[in-house]
Amino acid sequence: MTSGERLRPVDLAREHGLSTQAIRNYEQAGILPDADRTPHGYRTYTARHAQALRAFLALMPAHGHQTATSIMQAVNRGAVEDALKIIDESHAQLLDDRRTLQAVENALRDLTPAAPPGPGVTFIGPLARKLGIRPATLRKWEQAGLVRPRRDRETGYRVYTAADVRDAQLAHQLRRGGYLLEQIAPLLDQVRAAGGLEPLEDALRDWHGRLSARGRAMLSGAAALDAYLRHVAA
């Protein structure tokens, strides 16, 4: 494709199995540069638009639709430094997710399934503060079956044993890893029923796989974006 060759929306769409409406939507969102118009009002695209589309579609698996959109919008308005900052922040988030996963694995290694719960108990406020969440979140988790505190007969307050705290910690870490409440609940049920943490091994392997896939996708996205930047600068 030569730099001066004119393309129709269908030409861009066909390469990626998209609809022509998707191409128009991407242009309207600033993901693609503004298209020229024929005297009859039809959009015409160039190799630059094709390269921009390839870059965006490569960035999406790495950074997500919203972040990939922000990156392309910044590039197309000439704010390359802003785009690079967004990418840096996304890489930092991936690193933070890796650290979170490591923290989960460390926590699991420290837990001994056969050990009886400790004598100490805590209440919803202190536990929420320890986890850095709101008490309402713990109540929501209770409704979903993630934690099962008992009620004090005299005060009616929720009382969390050491086992409840462990369940809350695991739920919190898995939520940070992107798992939904309905995915976490059966895992914790299996942990309680089995008296051990083996059911979480598959979840952790899947988590590792998803982080690795994001990391590889970031490499592909970076290469495609670099190609687009080189095309724009040419």
Side-chain angles (χ1 to χ4, degrees):
M1 182 187 303
T2 63
S3 59
E5 183 179 351
R6 295 296 171 178
L7 302 170
R8 300 165 300 168
V10 67
D11 297 322
L12 268 65
R14 187 181 294 123
E15 178 183 352
H16 305 284
L18 300 171
S19 68
T20 55
Q21 183 60 52
I23 302 301
R24 289 191 287 269
N25 291 343
Y26 288 159
E27 181 192 347
Q28 185 177 14
I31 293 166
L32 304 181
D34 291 337
D36 291 333
R37 300 276 186 152
T38 68
H40 297 288
Y42 296 112
R43 289 175 172 86
T44 61
Y45 297 103
T46 65
R48 176 178 178 180
H49 296 90
Q51 200 78 299
L53 181 58
R54 294 186 194 108
F56 173 69
L57 295 177
L59 289 167
M60 269 206 302
H63 305 282
H65 188 282
Q66 183 175 351
T67 299
T69 297
S70 297
I71 293 168
M72 295 303 297
Q73 288 171 337
V75 170
N76 289 329
R77 67 173 182 265
V80 175
E81 289 299 319
D82 289 348
L84 296 177
K85 180 181 178 182
I86 295 169
I87 292 170
D88 289 344
E89 290 171 346
S90 186
H91 277 277
Q93 181 61 58
L94 176 60
L95 180 59
D96 187 59
D97 290 344
R98 290 189 183 281
R99 288 170 174 160
T100 297
L101 174 57
Q102 185 63 57
V104 171
E105 292 178 325
N106 291 342
L108 294 181
R109 282 196 295 268
D110 292 339
L111 291 172
T112 52
V121 297
T122 189
F123 300 95
I124 191 168
L127 179 55
R129 287 193 293 274
K130 179 178 181 180
L131 297 177
I133 59 178
R134 297 179 301 169
T137 300
L138 280 172
R139 289 192 287 269
K140 183 177 180 180
W141 290 358
E142 181 181 349
Q143 293 172 356
L146 274 59
V147 290
R148 300 173 180 176
R150 64 178 177 84
R151 293 277 187 161
D152 183 275
R153 291 184 178 180
E154 295 184 1
T155 64
Y157 293 156
R158 292 172 173 82
V159 177
Y160 296 84
T161 65
D164 297 322
V165 171
R166 177 205 64 187
D167 291 346
Q169 290 172 327
L170 292 177
H172 182 48
Q173 297 288 12
L174 288 169
R175 284 291 290 142
R176 290 185 62 190
Y179 285 84
L180 303 176
L181 297 185
E182 54 265 32
Q183 294 173 311
I184 298 172
L187 286 173
L188 291 179
D189 284 340
Q190 292 177 51
V191 169
R192 297 183 189 106
L197 299 165
E198 292 80 5
L200 290 177
E201 292 179 358
D202 288 341
L204 292 175
R205 279 194 294 270
D206 175 66
W207 194 351
H208 269 292
R210 289 189 288 118
L211 292 181
S212 295
R214 277 174 56 197
R216 291 290 298 272
M218 284 181 173
L219 295 178
S220 299
L225 181 62
D226 182 64
Y228 178 51
L229 290 173
R230 290 175 183 274
H231 187 95
V232 171

